[in-house]
Amino acid sequence: MSVARPTTLDDLPRTAASNVKKLGWRGVMREVDRTGSMVVTNHDRPEAVILSLDEYRALVLAAEASLRSSHSALDTLRHDFDERLAALAAPDAGERLRDVFGQSTALGGQVRAGQGY
């Protein structure tokens, strides 16, 4: 079942903890099956969230995709750093660094940050 995803906890349907007992588990689960999730409150304060199995699986898949994306971005940064660091091991690295440090510090309004040396 495809259910529109709320963006905040306040957007989720709610039921009081006393209704869980009054409606019984099947009654609560019928509502969860219809809406995808439900906040159980105690004295109007959120206490638990009940998710359908489909919603839980979707959250797990989204978390895994986010983790893969984070790893991918980190791998890209690591690769870029390693390439720049490897440039320091090149035979002409010392000479290139001396050239960079020997250049004038007057930038003339131009930004030099981020240039590969």
Side-chain angles (χ1 to χ4, degrees):
M1 160 182 287
S2 178
V3 177
R5 294 185 195 250
T7 56
T8 68
L9 190 64
D10 292 334
D11 294 335
L12 295 174
R14 294 172 174 252
T15 191
S18 58
N19 283 345
V20 174
K21 184 175 181 181
K22 184 171 42 173
L23 296 173
W25 185 249
R26 282 303 334 137
V28 171
M29 288 311 297
R30 271 194 289 284
E31 183 65 16
V32 170
D33 285 342
R34 188 177 70 73
T35 61
S37 56
M38 177 180 290
V39 175
V40 179
T41 62
N42 187 11
H43 300 287
D44 291 326
R45 289 182 34 211
E47 202 164 73
V49 176
I50 302 173
L51 300 174
S52 69
L53 189 56
D54 288 342
E55 287 296 308
Y56 174 77
R57 286 179 176 150
L59 284 174
V60 168
L61 289 174
E64 289 171 348
S66 177
L67 188 59
R68 281 191 303 273
S69 175
S70 294
H71 282 297
S72 177
L74 186 58
D75 289 341
T76 300
L77 285 173
R78 184 177 294 119
H79 178 265
D80 291 349
F81 177 81
D82 288 346
E83 279 186 351
R84 289 178 181 233
L85 189 61
L88 294 176
D92 65 337
E95 184 179 320
R96 287 187 300 131
L97 281 173
R98 279 188 289 281
D99 288 345
V100 168
F101 286 120
Q103 292 176 6
S104 170
T105 56
L107 299 178
Q110 295 182 349
V111 177
R112 297 185 76 148
Q115 292 181 350
Y117 290 104

